[in-house]
Amino acid sequence: MENNIPTVYDPQAVEDKWYRFWEENRLFHAEAAAAGDPYSIVIPPPNVTGQLHMGHAMDNTLQDILIRFRRMQGYNTLWMPGCDHAGIATQIKVEEALAQEGKSRYDLGRDEFIERIWEWKAQYGDRIVNQLKRLGASCDWERERFTMDEGCSKAVREVFVSLHEAGLIYQGHRITNWCVRCNTALSDIEVEHEEKPGHLYHVRYPIAGSDGEYITVATTRPETILGDTAVAVHPEDARYRHLIGRFALLPVVGRQLPIIADDYVDPAFGTGAVKITPAHDPNDFEMGLRHQLPQIIVMNPDGTMSAETGKYAGMDRNVCRKALVQDLKDQGLLVKIDEHAHAVGHCQRCGTVVEPLVSKQWFVKMQPLAEPALKAVTSGQVEFVPDRFTKIYTNWMENIRDWCISRQIWWGHRIPAWYCQCGEVTVSREDLTACPHCGGPVEQDADVLDTWFSSGLWPFSTMGWPEKTPELDKYYPTSVLVTGYDIIFFWVARMMMMGLRFGQDIPFRHVFIHGLVRDSEGRKMSKSLGNGIDPLEVIDKYGADTLRFMLVTGNTPGNDMRFYWERVESSRNFANKIWNASRFMLMNLEGFDPAHRPDPALYTLADRWILSRYHRTVAEVTRNMERFELGEAARLLYEFLWNEFCDWYIELAKARLYDKENAAPRAVAQHVLHQVLAHTLELLHPFMPFITEAIWQHLPHDGISIMKARWPQENAECICPADEQAMTTVMETIKAIRNMRAEVNVPPGKKSPVILQVTDAALRPVLTDNIAYLVTLAAAESVEIIGGDAVKPENAMTAVVSGVEVYLPLKGLIDVEKETARLQKELAGLEKELARVAGKLSNESFVAKAPPEVIAKEKAKEAEYREKHAAIRERVAYLETL
RNA sequence: GGGGUUAUAGCUCAGUUGGUUAGAGCGCUUCGUUGACAUCGAAGAGGUCUGCGGUUCGAGUCCGCCUAACCCCACCA
């Protein structure tokens, strides 16, 4: 039928072709009005100017597997694609490009800078999409969305205004995390804390109006001394009680600081006295409010010291620290510097040390939103896979704090608030040109929203919300969200809150969490380490199917995996194995009529065996897919296809396939070969879409694409343990012969006679029927089957499989001593097992309490071992007489 | 300070409601160009499942504790 297929699978030759075919035939497209229960996934939107990395490759492979699986099962399947504008990340990129020209965003001005970013998006916005296509992602590209497109922007504004109307968005002067490099406020989770060795500076503050009296405070950030407005001690601290109500003199500056008492102070830490800097420390900020302390801002947004700091004004914060410490030393006020490890916050995006400082920002009040989001998970309405992430999620939700959503950057959704000179701030769905209160001119808030604000709306904004759309109706809530554990708080949690409030329902039923792809040493792949592996490189070299298979096997949900080229190669080999098994089939389908179903009576044991194994595989693979155990499903397919179908069935079928004189048996073999392989390819399709499509298209088929093939169904009637058992005996007999031949180095070309002494009468016909296999697969010259009571052959090697003693008369090749040793070793193993089983069976509690089928199994084992043992012992005894 | 993950063959990992002589890939040893595949085939070597205790007739699997590594969360200056 097909003889011109290359012996090595070449992904490059088929991938582009079939992807185009799928797209041209709109096979990824979903219609809300079409039949079928909905199954939907929204893609975690990658950064629009980003590039596909290994994490994306894994994340999207998992999604594509689920989508393709459900599509084949007949669901009305939507995979919604799109990109994220990724505020700070994208802005940094464009700023870096600008820096190449020696410019900053301020040189361009806001409008021109934003225009520049849109140009970037136009230039690179397709790249990530094209990379996802190379991976094989079956997204409905006709629906592609962008977090800053018109629809999503409308959703953002609607949500902002609604939350504001509900009193859940407010503006406030509060202490927030500030990145001096990005020049913007950050939310708490955008700050990464790293425990680092630092210093604890002990500084003397003289007591006002005293003679040489002082109080010593300890601080890790001496430059903030300039913003101190009090010194606090614990009210019960006997060392300092007499000082409460008096004043200390701020070193260098000379300002008078009240000494106050507050429970917050831990007498055991440092000196038990704390300097209070309300504008630059979250705790001090709170304490400042309690004691009505003034806030003195000593640092500018760019990290230099403010005009408030006198001679230090304009210095970088780090320079100031050194200068100030020197000044304290000079004045004899620096008592000591202790080594002190403490957590320092860094900007997630640029790594700069973050400063807590007071500024005016917009916040979302989280408690009321978190409550339903928490309940949806604790009630089981939304399930995390694996389950352990439930706890991480709920713990965060229970301790949630308000979310700072305003960013002082330019790329993003502008906050829909307008300021008027009359003092009114108006939040509006429509752009304002005049103040609704006084009619005066208004100016829109300069800030934009945190990127995650719009991402949080993704499951419903992409479906057309706030409009009522058929998509929203059909596909929301989505079926599953697939993402890494690193963005559970950033994204999953926000989608839960927003979805429940604005989508009127949970955003997804399952959250399928996967781990990170690390390098071969277990390190995170990162640009700075230069240890990243480009998925495109893997696809170029080995093909997308290979990459996908490698990414989905060998690990379990939620756990990290390491990238090894050896594993890529092993997946590649599997693809090649599939290719060649298919080649074999295609080369042997001559005269095959798929419509003709052979008489089941003509099926051989091998046929019934592989069909039984196949149907078991269907059931197990489907079960594992439904439970998100994709790696296990893939492993089962690998083992079935390679170890059973290729290693055995193809070999067992060859004789019939090659014998063109006997049409009927040949047709049966063709039928089974085709049926099992074609359907196994269907099972494999979600994992390896390209190669399975390429082969499927060569086969006789109905329908346009394997993508649209019906997912295989298990037929329990085809599962036959007796046939499996019988076939196992035949295979074990073959293996036993091969083993003995290898043991004494029989040349591969040299055939030898085989004598089988069958002790289990039921096995006699099985072996008699399958003698041909021993000839072809075990190099048997002749096979003689003798009864259990017959005289045992002499001068032969011996092996025992269940119910069959296998004798290999190898005159001249047998070294009696070696053979005895080999059998003795076998005996020792059997004795050990026999002792174990006998021990179990003689244990009264076991016999009384274990389930009957377990006991029966153990008894059967015991009988088998006994029989084998007896046979081998007899053999050893015989050898010893020689 | 809380919480979590991991510990199984030389390496990387599976082992899913507790019950087979604990598996795979890579690596290693020996052999193999017979018409699917050397990106292959055949035969092998290699593990007291981190340690201790508990539950159970039975534990790699469930429960404690120990050790080690990693991760997340947390406003002790």
Side-chain angles (χ1 to χ4, degrees), chain A residues 198-382:
Chain A
H199 303 285
L200 190 61
Y201 302 83
H202 292 247
V203 183
R204 265 180 202 165
Y205 286 23
I207 303 298
S210 79
D211 191 15
E213 225 182 323
Y214 55 83
I215 184 164
T216 302
V217 303
T219 179
T220 54
R221 295 189 300 153
E223 67 279 11
T224 63
I225 280 176
L226 301 166
D228 287 359
T229 54
V231 169
V233 297
H234 191 90
E236 310 295 322
D237 194 332
R239 291 171 294 177
Y240 302 119
R241 203 178 300 172
H242 65 287
L243 293 175
I244 296 169
R246 295 181 66 185
F247 289 85
L249 288 174
L250 187 59
V252 182
V253 180
R255 184 162 60 231
Q256 287 215 338
L257 308 177
I259 296 171
I260 60 176
D262 196 290
D263 284 338
Y264 161 76
V265 181
D266 175 5
F269 186 87
T271 61
V274 196
K275 61 190 256 343
I276 303 301
T277 321
H280 293 281
D281 181 279
N283 299 308
D284 294 7
F285 179 80
E286 294 297 323
M287 203 185 293
L289 293 182
R290 286 198 290 276
H291 298 270
Q292 286 100 41
L293 299 173
Q295 299 170 1
I296 300 175
I297 297 175
V298 297
M299 204 178 290
N300 297 316
D302 65 355
T304 59
M305 303 309 288
S306 75
E308 299 279 347
T309 61
K311 71 173 201 178
Y312 304 101
M315 278 187 195
D316 179 81
R317 54 186 169 158
N318 298 313
V319 176
C320 174
R321 176 178 296 185
K322 282 189 189 124
L324 193 58
V325 169
Q326 188 57 49
D327 289 345
L328 291 171
K329 228 184 248 173
D330 292 346
Q331 295 179 24
L333 296 174
L334 186 66
V335 180
K336 60 173 175 174
I337 305 174
D338 285 345
E339 296 295 317
H340 180 66
H342 64 291
V344 180
H346 298 263
C347 172
Q348 183 198 33
R349 300 253 80 109
C350 73
T352 307
V353 172
V354 162
E355 293 291 338
L357 54 81
V358 169
S359 58
K360 192 177 190 184
Q361 303 290 346
W362 291 91
F363 295 88
V364 179
K365 198 171 175 184
M366 298 296 264
Q367 198 94 48
L369 295 169
E371 215 166 285
L374 182 62
K375 207 177 142 204
V377 169
T378 51
S379 70
Q381 215 186 339
V382 174

Side-chain angles (χ1 to χ4, degrees), chain A residues 620-797:
Chain A
E620 281 296 287
V621 167
T622 307
R623 193 180 127 252
N624 279 292
M625 300 281 274
E626 281 167 348
R627 309 172 37 194
F628 299 100
E629 291 283 356
L630 307 187
E632 185 66 4
R635 207 205 91 235
L636 287 165
L637 284 166
Y638 180 100
E639 289 186 348
F640 172 71
L641 196 75
W642 200 316
N643 302 336
E644 300 192 293
F645 186 76
C646 290
D647 286 353
W648 288 100
Y649 186 71
I650 284 183
E651 296 306 324
L652 297 167
K654 272 181 181 172
R656 280 180 293 163
L657 292 169
Y658 291 162
D659 182 4
K660 300 193 179 171
E661 304 303 310
N662 288 299
R666 184 159 182 267
V668 173
Q670 285 179 326
H671 177 80
V672 175
L673 190 72
H674 172 264
Q675 194 191 343
V676 172
L677 184 52
H679 289 138
T680 304
L681 288 172
E682 287 162 7
L683 294 172
L684 221 30
H685 177 257
F687 300 91
M688 309 179 96
F690 294 106
I691 191 173
T692 50
E693 180 74 288
I695 297 165
W696 194 85
Q697 293 287 348
H698 278 291
L699 297 174
H701 61 264
D702 300 321
I704 184 171
S705 160
I706 192 173
M707 270 187 69
K708 293 286 184 183
R710 198 192 59 152
W711 184 256
Q713 303 288 307
E714 167 200 3
N715 182 353
E717 282 174 25
C718 291
I719 295 177
C720 176
D723 285 338
E724 289 186 17
Q725 185 51 51
M727 193 65 222
T728 300
T729 301
V730 174
M731 294 191 295
E732 292 207 327
T733 304
I734 291 169
K735 283 193 205 168
I737 298 166
R738 287 171 173 172
N739 179 332
M740 288 187 281
R741 289 173 57 95
E743 205 74 46
V744 293
N745 297 315
V746 181
K750 185 177 158 63
K751 295 191 171 246
S752 67
V754 170
I755 299 162
L756 303 178
Q757 187 162 39
V758 181
T759 48
D760 179 352
L763 284 175
R764 223 182 147 122
V766 170
L767 290 159
T768 310
D769 287 351
N770 294 286
I771 282 176
Y773 295 141
L774 304 198
V775 174
T776 54
L777 301 183
E781 188 176 75
S782 60
V783 180
E784 186 189 346
I785 298 177
I786 60 177
D789 48 359
V791 179
K792 293 183 192 306
E794 293 176 2
N795 217 349
M797 290 187 80

Side-chain angles (χ1 to χ4, degrees), chain A residues 47-60:
Chain A
N47 180 345
V48 67
T49 66
Q51 293 198 59
L52 194 79
H53 60 243
M54 247 345 137
H56 290 126
M58 169 181 254
D59 188 56
N60 289 289

Side-chain angles (χ1 to χ4, degrees), chain A residues 827-842:
Chain A
L827 275 184
L830 280 169
E831 275 157 22
K832 206 176 127 197
E833 285 311 308
L834 213 42
R836 201 180 55 79
V837 176
K840 249 186 190 178
L841 286 169
S842 64

Side-chain angles (χ1 to χ4, degrees), chain A residues 3 7 111 172 253 290 465 525 576 596 609 645 680 869 878:
Chain A
N3 288 318
T7 62
D111 291 343
V253 180
R290 286 198 290 276
W465 190 92
M525 287 188 181
N576 196 240
H596 173 253
W609 167 75
F645 186 76
T680 304
H869 188 264
Y878 161 74

